[in-house]
Amino acid sequence: MLQIIKNANVINEKGQLERKTIIIDNGVIQSVMDVNHEIPEHEGSVIDAEGKLITPGFIDMHVHLREPGFEHKETIESGSRSAVKGGFSTIACMPNTKPVMDNPDTVALVLEKARQADMAKVLPYAAITKNELGRELTDFEALKAAGAIGFTDDGVGVQNAQMMKDAMKKAASMGMPVIAHCEDDSLVKGACVTEGKFAEKHGLKGIPNESEAIHVGRDILLTEATGVHYHVCHVSTEQSVRLIRQAKAIGISVTAEVCPHHLVLSDEDIPGLDANWKMNPPLRSPRDVEACIEGLLDGTLDMIVTDHAPHSEEEKARGMELAPFGIVGFETAFPLLYTKFVATGKWDLSMLVKRMTSDPARVFGLDSGVLKAGAPADLTMIDLESEKEVKPETFATKGRNTPFAGWKLKGWPVMTWVDGEIKWSQTNGFA
């Protein structure tokens, strides 16, 4: 069915806002026209955007949907509902489920659950090693055939360099990426926050920056040796940014991501022993925050991801040392970064949107992330003037674990399309 979105503000090739009419037919963008063009006769629907921003649907290449095995934290349905409420049309889920996504049947289960949920597009990663134990490679060919888009042991770093090199060789031979959670276990055991002022004040063991950067450096050398596409998860340290920048400068095939919380918060912002401020990687120093911001602006860090990691309130109530790592991110990501950086004049709106749409699509070879004729009609409508308080009790995710409760933010998504279907709107809720 034909759909027309009129009076839409879109970001043009020069990064400027321009009023357009968007025509959608059978789930595909048919045309993006100037407003003075005559609208074709149709039997479909007309939506008046009333000058609100329309962007490609956001793409989040690092999320935790918890199913199978941890449905008390999240399900594929609740997670994908939360995603579309946050403006995300495509999400890539990590394999640290129970059972781990290390076999074709589990990958197939996730894809079927996503089909039943019928919200965001869900792209599953598969584990690098069986049960994410770092001892034996999974069957890469069978996992790719089942629908896996890449290989990662996210949640734990691959500790053995030979195992990682073997994985990279195998993935490179198949044209598949390796996505790495970079963490040297020998440096982090028993630690829950970054090594720094907060840890010292509260007598906590700290996670040092080098625990992340050592694996980044090791893996960059292995990438150079194997030719794989290597992607670094949730970069949080100045050292990691520096190593990735240097690797890119000499042509090594490395890409990287950063999370909103590592751009907005440092360990000096943590108010106390509230585990809603506990995530992995942890909040780092202000210097690291500035390095991540600089890395995002200059393209060293290719994209923004949420690392959406829901946990139950009971789990987070165990306190900073005993609670699991992770915070939710879908529903606050864009307004948080818009309010902090775009509304204050520090960033261009076009840069923020690009890092959440076309850049992840480019890195992972997706056909979405662009607003042009022939592309999937994955779209997000955003009210840049709308200001609201973050209220976790209103989230669509099962998780309430966020450090941003009570923050007043602007730039909220109000409608999300996936393949031309409105999956969520502020007015009518979920489809």
Side-chain angles (χ1 to χ4, degrees), residues 180 235 270:
V235 171
I270 305 174

Side-chain angles (χ1 to χ4, degrees), residues 136-169:
E136 185 181 356
L137 290 182
T138 56
D139 186 339
F140 282 20
E141 288 95 345
L143 290 163
K144 179 180 180 180
I149 63 158
F151 303 103
T152 180
D153 273 5
D154 185 61
V156 290
V158 176
Q159 300 304 304
N160 184 286
Q162 185 64 56
M163 183 68 64
M164 191 59 150
K165 186 174 184 180
D166 290 346
M168 287 181 167
K169 278 184 177 178

Side-chain angles (χ1 to χ4, degrees), residues 243-284:
L243 287 165
I244 295 163
R245 184 179 287 119
Q246 290 169 347
K248 286 190 168 191
I250 60 173
I252 297 175
S253 179
V254 55
T255 57
E257 64 190 39
V258 67
C259 303
H261 44 276
H262 290 128
L263 299 167
V264 171
L265 299 171
S266 77
D267 67 322
E268 295 182 11
D269 295 310
I270 305 174
L273 297 174
D274 178 356
N276 287 320
W277 293 70
K278 178 182 181 181
M279 64 284 289
N280 191 15
L283 298 176
R284 303 286 189 180

